[in-house]
Amino acid sequence: MKSIRLLFFILLLLSCDEKDNIENLSGYWEIESVTLNGQNIKKFPFNNTIDYFEFDDSFEGFRKKVKPRIDGNFEITMHQIKFRIEKNNGNFSLIYGKGDNFTEYITEIDSNNLLIKNKEGYLYKYKRFLQKNYLNE
């Protein structure tokens, strides 16, 4: 009986960790690089746009580009793309549009790093973007 409780507790912790990991997706992300088959395709030493992700408890949300401003705020466009998050075999996918229009796969996520891979094999490496007001320095 004791081992069954321990197993249940471990499974509960694992399921919480997975949910917590995907919760890290919400917020602002700055692209660092793009690779294909382990080869660096492009590095981004500076970004004039940032990706913003937001989703709800039903794992439906949107992604949009925003432009950071010197005062720490953002220029926000009206353009955004809707997505839903699906979990298959412990892995999370971002499915954009209706049906399977376009799918990306989250290969790694934590509070500061995000790796997204598309069907063509391109791997996009992001880091958490932190807002900063340069006018107050």
Side-chain angles (χ1 to χ4, degrees), residues 4 7 9-10 23 30 58 70 98 105 113 122 128:
I4 291 174
L7 179 62
F9 181 71
I10 290 171
E23 292 296 328
E30 180 177 13
S58 63
I70 196 167
K98 296 182 182 196
Y105 308 94
N113 300 290
Y122 288 94
R128 176 74 63 189

Short mmCIF file of all heavy atoms in Angstrom, two decimals, residues 4 7 9-10 23 30 58 70 98 105 113 122 128:
data_model
loop_
_atom_site.label_atom_id
_atom_site.label_comp_id
_atom_site.label_asym_id
_atom_site.label_seq_id
_atom_site.Cartn_x
_atom_site.Cartn_y
_atom_site.Cartn_z
N ILE A 4 2.19 2.00 -3.45
CA ILE A 4 1.16 2.54 -4.35
C ILE A 4 1.01 4.05 -4.11
O ILE A 4 0.91 4.82 -5.06
CB ILE A 4 -0.19 1.80 -4.16
CG1 ILE A 4 -0.05 0.37 -4.66
CG2 ILE A 4 -1.31 2.53 -4.89
CD1 ILE A 4 -1.26 -0.49 -4.39
N LEU A 7 4.03 5.77 -5.66
CA LEU A 7 3.89 5.82 -7.11
C LEU A 7 2.89 6.90 -7.53
O LEU A 7 3.14 7.68 -8.45
CB LEU A 7 3.46 4.46 -7.66
CG LEU A 7 3.24 4.37 -9.16
CD1 LEU A 7 4.55 4.67 -9.90
CD2 LEU A 7 2.71 3.01 -9.55
N PHE A 9 2.09 9.60 -5.85
CA PHE A 9 2.70 10.88 -5.56
C PHE A 9 3.69 11.28 -6.65
O PHE A 9 3.71 12.42 -7.11
CB PHE A 9 3.40 10.84 -4.19
CG PHE A 9 4.03 12.13 -3.79
CD1 PHE A 9 3.27 13.23 -3.44
CD2 PHE A 9 5.41 12.26 -3.79
CE1 PHE A 9 3.86 14.44 -3.08
CE2 PHE A 9 6.01 13.46 -3.44
CZ PHE A 9 5.23 14.54 -3.08
N ILE A 10 4.52 10.33 -7.10
CA ILE A 10 5.49 10.60 -8.16
C ILE A 10 4.78 10.96 -9.46
O ILE A 10 5.14 11.92 -10.14
CB ILE A 10 6.43 9.40 -8.36
CG1 ILE A 10 7.36 9.27 -7.14
CG2 ILE A 10 7.25 9.54 -9.64
CD1 ILE A 10 8.18 8.00 -7.11
N GLU A 23 3.23 26.22 -18.97
CA GLU A 23 2.80 27.52 -18.47
C GLU A 23 3.88 28.57 -18.71
O GLU A 23 3.58 29.75 -18.82
CB GLU A 23 2.45 27.45 -16.98
CG GLU A 23 1.23 26.63 -16.66
CD GLU A 23 -0.06 27.18 -17.25
OE1 GLU A 23 -0.19 28.42 -17.39
OE2 GLU A 23 -0.94 26.37 -17.58
N GLU A 30 12.37 36.31 -27.13
CA GLU A 30 13.25 36.91 -28.12
C GLU A 30 14.04 35.80 -28.81
O GLU A 30 14.68 34.98 -28.16
CB GLU A 30 14.22 37.86 -27.41
CG GLU A 30 15.19 38.56 -28.31
CD GLU A 30 16.08 39.54 -27.55
OE1 GLU A 30 16.13 39.51 -26.31
OE2 GLU A 30 16.73 40.34 -28.24
N SER A 58 -7.94 26.37 -21.39
CA SER A 58 -8.31 25.36 -22.38
C SER A 58 -7.20 25.15 -23.40
O SER A 58 -7.39 24.48 -24.40
CB SER A 58 -9.62 25.74 -23.08
OG SER A 58 -9.45 26.93 -23.81
N ILE A 70 11.78 52.16 -26.13
CA ILE A 70 12.83 52.61 -25.21
C ILE A 70 12.28 52.85 -23.80
O ILE A 70 13.01 52.77 -22.82
CB ILE A 70 13.54 53.86 -25.77
CG1 ILE A 70 14.85 54.09 -25.05
CG2 ILE A 70 12.64 55.07 -25.72
CD1 ILE A 70 15.76 55.09 -25.72
N LYS A 98 -7.06 26.40 -38.23
CA LYS A 98 -8.02 25.31 -38.06
C LYS A 98 -7.46 24.03 -38.64
O LYS A 98 -6.79 24.05 -39.66
CB LYS A 98 -9.34 25.67 -38.74
CG LYS A 98 -9.99 26.87 -38.10
CD LYS A 98 -11.31 27.19 -38.75
CE LYS A 98 -11.86 28.44 -38.07
NZ LYS A 98 -13.21 28.68 -38.29
N TYR A 105 6.59 22.21 -32.84
CA TYR A 105 6.77 21.31 -31.71
C TYR A 105 7.70 21.95 -30.69
O TYR A 105 8.79 22.40 -31.04
CB TYR A 105 7.35 19.98 -32.19
CG TYR A 105 6.54 19.40 -33.33
CD1 TYR A 105 6.89 19.64 -34.66
CD2 TYR A 105 5.39 18.68 -33.07
CE1 TYR A 105 6.13 19.14 -35.70
CE2 TYR A 105 4.61 18.18 -34.11
CZ TYR A 105 4.99 18.41 -35.42
OH TYR A 105 4.23 17.93 -36.45
N ASN A 113 14.22 29.64 -21.38
CA ASN A 113 14.60 29.11 -22.68
C ASN A 113 13.44 28.40 -23.35
O ASN A 113 12.64 27.74 -22.68
CB ASN A 113 15.76 28.12 -22.53
CG ASN A 113 16.97 28.78 -21.92
OD1 ASN A 113 17.61 29.61 -22.54
ND2 ASN A 113 17.28 28.42 -20.68
N TYR A 122 13.59 22.98 -38.93
CA TYR A 122 14.22 24.19 -38.41
C TYR A 122 13.98 24.28 -36.91
O TYR A 122 12.86 24.08 -36.45
CB TYR A 122 13.67 25.45 -39.09
CG TYR A 122 14.14 25.59 -40.52
CD1 TYR A 122 13.36 25.12 -41.57
CD2 TYR A 122 15.35 26.20 -40.80
CE1 TYR A 122 13.79 25.24 -42.88
CE2 TYR A 122 15.78 26.34 -42.12
CZ TYR A 122 15.00 25.85 -43.15
OH TYR A 122 15.42 25.97 -44.44
N ARG A 128 13.90 34.22 -22.86
CA ARG A 128 12.87 35.08 -22.27
C ARG A 128 13.29 36.53 -22.46
O ARG A 128 14.44 36.89 -22.22
CB ARG A 128 12.73 34.75 -20.79
CG ARG A 128 11.78 35.62 -20.02
CD ARG A 128 10.33 35.38 -20.28
NE ARG A 128 9.94 34.05 -19.86
CZ ARG A 128 8.75 33.54 -20.14
NH1 ARG A 128 7.86 34.25 -20.82
NH2 ARG A 128 8.44 32.33 -19.78
#
